[in-house]
Amino acid sequence: MLKSGDVVLTQIQFTDTFEIKKRPALVLFEEHDNIIVAGMGGSAVGGDLLRLYLHDLKMPVTTIRDYKLPNYVNENTLVFAVSYSGNTEETLAAYEDALRKKAKIIAVTSGGKLGDISKKTIKIPKGLQPRAALGYLFFPVLGVLVNSGIVKENPSEISEMLDILSQKEDFRQFGEKLAKKIGQKTPLIYASEQFGAVVYRWKTQFNENSKASAFSHVFSEMNHNEIVSYQSMSRDKFLAIIIRDNFDDERIKKRMDITKEIISQKVNVEEVYTKGTYLLSRLFSGLHY
């Protein structure tokens, strides 16, 4: 039986996505000034990842978790309305708002009302929790952008990602050791801004799967506020986790080192390193832990 974080599930979703991507209806010929991913919960995480992955794209990518889209949305905006169930209240309202603003809209859903009302839809398989369908919620959107020439596909990047995620036993062993260290403590998860979506995903997975509180923040913003709160923290109640990337800015790496030294006086600190050379591998390895 496939579980929420199973690497096999990730590979199946990725393979399925490439079949979905081949559909000719998913090629866009219009020009766009900006991209918006409208969604909530697990359905919005794909948008967060897309924004990070396309940080060098010469058009802004924004995730909107709300009933209403920004006023700058117009006929030159590409909107992905993403709702796994197809019945998410906020996403349906955002879809209607996009229609009023005459944006180009593509829905990503397993069905529901969104599947019924959308004129251009990427249908994904039913039967999963949204948090277990991350591959289906991310790769089809990326596939549309590749099909349309907005993003260039890199086969080496895909190959590296799948190879790293296939190292199932390494991830499992690391995860079990970390889980035992966390125990009943509240995890505080940190990374650079570039991996902000990864630590937020960690937080929500603790919330939804473990039914436990968890908190996330990014460097170097946490150095300007949250670090002060460690004066009142205790080792028996909290555990800090820093997700590190070899390609982080050297100034961020230095901040992480100094922060670890400071907060270790109050709580235990665990470090997690992303794997791979390409950004896609590093993002998904960080998620897969």
Side-chain angles (χ1 to χ4, degrees), residues 102-119:
K102 299 181 180 180
K104 309 295 188 303
I105 313 169
I106 297 176
V108 181
T109 182
S110 67
K113 186 175 179 181
L114 183 61
D116 292 336
I117 64 176
S118 177
K119 294 181 179 179

Side-chain angles (χ1 to χ4, degrees), residues 161-192:
M161 180 196 73
L162 292 176
D163 178 63
I164 288 172
L165 295 184
S166 71
Q167 299 166 19
K168 185 176 177 180
E169 189 62 19
D170 291 345
F171 283 104
R172 185 189 66 79
Q173 290 181 4
F174 185 94
E176 286 184 356
K177 289 178 182 178
L178 183 58
K180 289 176 181 177
K181 290 178 180 178
I182 295 169
Q184 299 299 313
K185 299 173 184 176
T186 298
L188 310 169
I189 313 116
Y190 304 105
S192 64

